[in-house]
Amino acid sequence: MQLVLEKRTERSNTIALVSPLIAIGLTIVTMTILFAILGKNPLLALHAYFIAPLTDGYSLQEIAVKATPLVMIAIGLALCYLANAWNIGAEGQFLIGAVAGSWIAVKTQGTDAGAWVLPAMLVLAAAAGALYALIPAICKVKFGASEILTSLMLVYVADLLLDYLVRGPWRDPNGFNFPTTAEFDPVATVPLLIEGGRLHLGSIIALLVVAAAAILLGRTIKGFEIRVVGAAPRAARFGGFNANQLVILTFAVSGALAGLAGIIEVAGPVGHLQPGISPGYGFTAIIVAFLGRLNPLGILIAGLFLALTFIGGEQAQIAMKIPLDVTKVFQGILLFYVLACDSLILYRFKLVLANRQVTRGAG
Amino acid sequence: MPALQRMLDPTPSGPHSGESPLLRTVGLTKRYGDFLANDSIDIDVWPKEIHALLGENGAGKSTLVKAIYGLIQPSAGEIRWQGERIVLSGPAEARSRGIGMVFQHFSLFDNLTVAENVALGLDGKESFKDMSARLEQVSKTYGLPLDPKREVWQLSVGERQRIEIVRALMQDPKFLILDEPTAVLTPQEADQLFVVLERLKAEGRAILYISHKLEEVKRLCDTATILRGGRKIQTCNPRLETAASLARMMVGGEIKEVKPAAGRKTTIPRLVVNDLTLAPDEAHGVRLAHISFELKGGEILGIAGVAGNGQDELFAALSGERLSKDPGTIVIEGVAAGHLSITKRRKLGAAFVPEERLGHGTAPRMKLSENALLTGHAASGMVNHGFIDTAATLKTVDKATETFDVRKAKRDPEAASLSGGNLQKFIVGREILRNPAVLVVSQPTWGVDAGAAAVIRQALLDLATAGAAVLVTSQDLDELAEIADRIAVMFHGRLSAPLEASEATREKLGLLMGGSSLEPKEAAHAVGA
């Protein structure tokens, strides 16, 4: 008896939908074993991870707040990945957006600048993120440099730049030498949706981004170009689509969205610029993009799910002393299973009775 | 009914009675998923026999020989070698038993020399020097001249095939499989190959010869086994059959005759190429040199030539996948277009069908409607203010389906799920439905079943009759003879002066394909005249 992978004649849409669920199921099984090895009660741990955050209003809002940057970044990454452009540096573009937007907030601090401040911060952050993403894109198009490496390396540049600014020129003079800027003025802050709550306007922007991406990919010729260039580069050239232009375009859009997410995070839930504003949103968004099948709606769901693991991880740490790094292990295992399950979209398992000796009809 | 009698007696008796066949397959079956590539096939191949394996693309010829050569394991049935049942672990074991194979697609390294390539393909442990000496000796003995020190990229396709044949012969095989060996040869080169094969036969070896060229099989082969749809239809003596009766067995019915174009009128020049010269864009690519021709509406120009002589480069230059610096080198509908993108050329009324269906002509994992959009987005009203008109793309699919008899499992399947013939009908249909003024087609019926090939050739003739200029590149001389008004030959990136179809004999074309009597000056000035 032999188990073989067999190519399907046409991709299975059912599996395309079910595969993330299978992956989540397998991840939970693996995590259960891991919790048991750590000497924790797996049922309690899973409850802390996946059920407890859903039971109170504060945690629910917090999930939406965490999902906001994940979804916005992942949408941009999905555009890149569909076009076969591998932007791994969204984390850096997120930080650069945060820095650029904060510049306006810092410069207008304490002045009577009006309501233009926040919109200007958003625009500048998006522009800065886009420009930062264009560096690897142009290096790829002009010199053939691997965008995977260059975009990733630029993450550390952005990280150190932010570190320098908050420890140096932008440090809050009244901040007891902590590496942080002063709290942003109200005009430089993303407004809350619920008074006294956590949910802010950024979540609405994220929803608009999801809708726009769904229309772009499903209905427009530009979205079609992006998909063809990734799926069949030679056919795309035959169709008259320029792959290099699309690398530039998708990187720019993806960088802009990451930059926007960065300033929304800083001017929203955080309220000032400081190191550690991101628990790795730019990297986790890669998982969100794939778990969501590079599909805008799927990314929205996947973003909420991954946000749940962040909140759940905190709860598990508080309640059961499970290290926070377990969340990262969880996310890594999840990506692994998602990619593995994806092979079932184009292949299927088949049980083959012993080879050669079988009579006709059994093969 | 003689056909029925022959079927009742599948083993040709006579010269072989009493001996045992060199190779016999019994009920050989290969299954891929739900698909039966080989369905219980029995064949016998005897020493001193050239045995043809005839069939259309997809009939199961390649699957059968891959099983015999140990590349795949049969799902059922068995292979008997000299009367003894064998299970091959792989090609190395097949070779050690005396089974050799020459593939249609060569497996050679361009940057290595002939001798190095041969050494890589041999299993033995002899020194490189001894091997080189043996290589020269074998190539001399069989009249297959090769210079062991030359690098492969410098060689013609015919010479590359010689390397493969010599490599197989150096193992002294008792049984040699050749997969469509003449597909890449000029008629003269094919004649030389036949001499070698006759000689191998006289030495007592057996040859399994895969082909779909009937005249060739009638001329060369002692026995022919015809496959269709994975089954063996019959084993017969091809010399006692006519080409038409062989074709019927291959296709399983009469093939629709392609109606020649009666009373087609040529009009204004619609595609003009003026002294087009283009450096290759990749290592070992072909440089296009001083190509000139003029193609009028209502006319079909055929371009013959052995593969790899610049046909791909010419297609890329004409389509705009590669741009020329000088706009005037390519003129479409009176507009200098050498510098224009493929989209702009489509807007001028040009349409293109590349050789490779999957991955070039279509995105394999995308739906037909999306593949209609791939080339239709520029000039077919499928896009409104950047938004896709899905209804219009589906309408193109339906219309192509109806007009060109595209058979598919559902209304809008993925391109990759269609058979080669049906996908090609869709691709040609997609372009013809746009009513192009100029159609450039590369290998229109390559790997396509006879029924679909007839539909496609008829469609090209009808398009020309309707006034379009059609340029067809093909390696199939019979196809060009059937549809082209004039035929030119590509050799080493140059194009010969076109011959009127009535004067383009196989001998003349063969000479041009081999590079003889090419007069570039005359070709270059043909347009100016």
Side-chain angles (χ1 to χ4, degrees):
Chain A
M1 286 238 281
Q2 207 179 0
L3 200 60
V4 292
L5 264 186
E6 192 176 270
K7 208 167 168 84
R8 297 174 191 270
T9 46
E10 194 159 347
R11 51 177 287 141
S12 164
N13 288 325
T14 323
I15 297 291
L17 287 176
V18 174
S19 127
L21 300 180
I22 301 175
I24 290 174
L26 289 170
T27 308
I28 289 177
V29 170
T30 311
M31 289 307 286
T32 307
I33 297 168
L34 200 66
F35 287 137
I37 293 170
L38 285 173
K40 310 285 177 189
N41 182 336
L43 283 180
L44 288 180
L46 288 175
H47 182 270
Y49 257 89
F50 299 112
I51 311 292
L54 298 173
T55 51
D56 72 286
Y58 178 84
S59 293
L60 282 175
Q61 283 192 50
E62 198 59 33
I63 289 171
V65 168
K66 282 261 190 286
T68 296
L70 288 177
V71 169
M72 285 177 68
I73 300 168
I75 291 279
L77 291 181
L79 296 181
C80 284
Y81 299 163
L82 282 170
N84 241 346
W86 299 99
N87 182 3
I88 307 296
E91 179 83 359
Q93 294 138 28
F94 176 94
L95 296 175
I96 285 293
V99 165
S102 300
W103 176 70
I104 299 184
V106 169
K107 291 296 159 195
T108 59
Q109 197 123 45
T111 66
D112 52 1
W116 60 268
V117 172
L118 183 66
M121 285 164 65
L122 298 182
V123 169
L124 188 66
L131 285 175
Y132 203 61
L134 280 177
I135 299 172
I138 289 170
C139 286
K140 177 188 168 73
V141 170
K142 290 276 173 218
F143 312 114
S146 163
E147 75 277 24
I148 298 176
L149 290 177
T150 49
S151 64
L152 180 62
M153 290 192 289
L154 284 169
V155 172
Y156 306 106
V157 177
D159 202 18
L160 292 172
L161 175 70
L162 179 136
D163 221 45
Y164 161 73
L165 289 172
V166 294
R167 287 174 203 280
W170 291 0
R171 191 173 55 189
D172 181 7
N174 310 315
F176 309 103
N177 262 343
F178 279 109
T180 168
T181 66
E183 285 296 305
F184 290 177
D185 290 339
V187 286
T189 304
V190 177
L192 293 173
L193 291 179
I194 306 166
E195 201 56 48
R198 293 278 293 160
L199 206 58
H200 56 82
L201 189 66
S203 303
I204 304 288
I205 296 177
L207 287 177
L208 291 177
V209 167
V210 169
I215 292 169
L216 173 78
L217 287 175
R219 299 253 166 267
T220 70
I221 186 76
K222 205 33 105 182
F224 177 69
E225 277 179 43
I226 290 172
R227 289 187 292 128
V228 185
V229 162
R234 196 149 172 240
R237 199 168 46 173
F238 179 66
F241 306 140
N242 185 329
N244 282 347
Q245 263 175 25
L246 285 175
V247 169
I248 302 273
L249 177 82
T250 53
F251 257 85
V253 170
S254 158
L257 287 172
L260 195 59
I263 193 60
I264 287 173
E265 187 69 11
V266 169
V270 180
H272 55 261
L273 189 65
Q274 65 171 47
I277 47 171
S278 164
Y281 286 132
F283 296 117
T284 307
I286 298 172
I287 303 172
V288 173
F290 280 107
L291 187 63
R293 313 233 55 81
L294 305 181
N295 170 307
L297 215 60
I299 286 171
L300 180 61
I301 297 166
L304 289 167
F305 180 74
L306 263 293
L308 175 66
T309 67
F310 275 122
I311 310 297
E314 283 169 16
Q315 299 230 356
Q317 186 186 30
I318 296 164
M320 304 182 63
K321 301 197 172 61
I322 294 173
L324 203 54
D325 285 335
V326 171
T327 308
K328 290 207 172 123
V329 173
F330 175 91
Q331 293 174 348
I333 291 174
L334 183 60
L335 181 64
F336 170 79
Y337 279 126
V338 167
L339 296 179
C341 289
D342 272 6
S343 54
L344 293 177
I345 297 171
L346 290 179
Y347 296 86
R348 64 180 164 206
F349 281 116
K350 192 153 189 184
L351 206 57
V352 174
L353 304 172
N355 54 354
R356 282 176 222 158
Q357 305 298 336
V358 287
T359 48
R360 281 184 54 206
Chain B
M1 214 191 235
L4 187 67
Q5 278 167 15
R6 279 197 297 271
M7 248 192 280
L8 292 173
D9 176 22
T11 329
S13 53
H16 307 306
S17 43
E19 316 161 27
S20 75
L22 183 62
L23 180 121
R24 164 175 269 178
T25 69
V26 183
L28 194 106
T29 299
K30 180 65 188 179
R31 196 184 275 272
Y32 291 105
D34 305 330
F35 178 66
L36 263 178
N38 277 170
D39 184 1
S40 192
I41 290 178
D42 304 324
I43 59 165
D44 293 338
V45 184
W46 302 78
K48 283 197 167 202
E49 179 186 52
I50 303 184
H51 191 125
L53 207 48
L54 261 178
E56 291 206 84
N57 285 286
K61 296 169 295 185
S62 293
T63 308
L64 181 62
V65 295
K66 277 184 193 160
I68 294 172
Y69 190 54
L71 275 169
I72 54 174
Q73 289 297 339
S75 313
E78 56 183 70
I79 298 168
R80 290 191 197 145
W81 176 249
Q82 297 174 318
E84 171 206 352
R85 183 174 172 200
I86 53 169
V87 174
L88 294 169
S89 59
E93 192 188 339
R95 283 194 294 267
S96 72
R97 286 179 183 270
I99 302 174
M101 179 156 176
V102 175
F103 290 89
Q104 188 179 3
H105 299 287
F106 310 144
S107 41
L108 299 171
F109 296 93
D110 279 351
N111 288 320
L112 298 183
T113 65
V114 170
E116 285 164 345
N117 267 288
V118 170
L120 280 170
L122 290 181
D123 306 318
K125 292 183 183 75
E126 64 189 323
S127 76
F128 187 74
K129 208 176 127 206
D130 293 350
M131 193 279 311
S132 297
R134 211 153 64 82
L135 165 68
E136 279 203 79
Q137 186 227 321
V138 169
S139 80
K140 228 177 251 159
T141 317
Y142 288 96
L144 295 161
L146 275 177
D147 178 354
K149 291 188 189 69
R150 285 189 76 189
E151 291 188 358
V152 166
W153 65 271
Q154 300 171 304
L155 304 181
S156 74
V157 181
E159 288 171 304
R160 290 178 203 202
Q161 187 181 58
R162 259 180 243 157
I163 305 176
E164 294 274 4
I165 294 174
V166 167
R167 179 153 76 183
L169 289 179
M170 284 176 72
Q171 324 239 5
D172 193 21
K174 296 190 185 76
F175 182 87
L176 186 61
I177 305 166
L178 292 138
D179 191 354
E180 306 233 2
T182 57
V184 293
L185 300 182
T186 66
Q188 285 85 351
E189 284 174 325
D191 287 344
Q192 290 168 12
L193 174 68
F194 295 160
V195 173
V196 175
L197 296 185
E198 292 286 357
R199 170 162 182 179
L200 292 175
K201 173 184 157 185
E203 288 176 348
R205 304 176 207 268
I207 292 168
L208 189 58
Y209 187 89
I210 302 182
S211 183
H212 61 257
K213 293 185 180 171
L214 305 171
E215 292 299 340
E216 197 174 283
V217 167
K218 274 172 65 66
R219 193 175 133 198
L220 180 71
C221 301
D222 309 296
T223 317
T225 292
I226 293 121
L227 301 184
R228 186 170 80 226
R231 292 164 179 257
K232 180 173 120 174
I233 299 302
Q234 195 173 99
T235 295
C236 63
N237 181 342
R239 291 183 181 119
L240 302 178
E241 301 287 334
T242 62
S245 67
L246 288 171
R248 266 198 300 279
M249 288 187 257
M250 261 168 72
V251 178
E254 297 290 336
I255 309 163
K256 220 169 84 184
E257 282 279 313
V258 175
K259 274 184 239 136
R264 242 182 5 221
K265 286 192 193 106
T266 55
T267 57
I268 44 153
R270 306 198 98 156
L271 174 65
V272 182
V273 174
N274 294 316
D275 198 25
L276 172 69
T277 296
L278 208 54
D281 63 345
E282 54 188 36
H284 312 326
V286 178
R287 184 183 127 94
L288 297 178
H290 307 294
I291 290 181
S292 294
F293 61 86
E294 182 182 280
L295 188 52
K296 293 195 169 100
E299 189 183 30
I300 299 182
L301 173 64
I303 294 185
V306 174
N309 271 292
Q311 293 97 325
D312 296 345
E313 287 81 359
L314 180 62
F315 181 86
L318 291 176
S319 67
E321 287 170 295
R322 283 199 62 207
L323 301 180
S324 159
K325 281 198 185 84
D326 181 359
T329 50
I330 295 168
V331 180
I332 297 170
E333 288 281 82
V335 179
H339 62 304
L340 294 181
S341 70
I342 187 166
T343 302
K344 287 190 176 137
R345 293 184 199 199
R346 287 197 177 109
K347 284 184 179 159
L348 289 176
F352 311 96
V353 176
E355 174 180 346
E356 197 64 46
R357 284 184 282 277
L358 288 170
H360 192 181
T362 63
R365 289 286 168 193
M366 289 189 145
K367 291 175 178 164
L368 290 188
S369 60
E370 294 176 301
N371 277 302
L373 182 65
L374 184 70
T375 61
H377 66 89
S380 302
M382 292 176 180
V383 179
N384 271 328
H385 303 291
F387 284 85
I388 299 163
D389 184 347
T390 315
T393 60
L394 272 173
K395 217 166 121 191
T396 305
V397 175
D398 291 345
K399 231 171 144 189
T401 305
E402 198 183 316
T403 319
F404 297 99
D405 184 32
V406 180
R407 293 181 204 164
K408 49 195 167 64
K410 54 185 184 186
R411 188 179 177 197
D412 196 14
E414 283 176 12
S417 71
L418 265 63
S419 76
N422 282 306
L423 185 59
Q424 188 71 359
K425 282 190 278 185
F426 168 77
I427 294 174
V428 171
R430 166 182 85 181
E431 302 306 327
I432 287 182
L433 287 175
R434 293 175 45 222
N435 287 322
V438 176
L439 180 67
V440 179
V441 195
S442 188
Q443 311 287 358
T445 60
W446 166 81
V448 158
D449 60 279
V455 171
I456 289 165
R457 288 175 193 155
Q458 187 65 55
L460 296 179
L461 283 168
D462 293 347
L463 185 71
T465 310
V470 180
L471 182 73
V472 181
T473 306
S474 179
Q475 286 180 61
D476 185 344
L477 292 183
D478 298 329
E479 172 168 81
L480 292 179
E482 197 172 347
I483 60 173
D485 302 302
R486 292 184 296 152
I487 301 174
V489 176
M490 274 209 97
F491 179 74
H492 283 190
R494 291 169 177 269
L495 190 69
S496 76
L499 303 169
E500 289 298 323
S502 52
E503 295 164 13
T505 59
R506 293 185 81 83
E507 286 63 39
K508 275 193 200 166
L509 292 176
L511 285 173
L512 288 168
M513 285 160 75
S516 319
S517 77
L518 192 76
E519 289 148 348
K521 281 228 164 108
E522 192 186 315
H525 288 287
V527 166

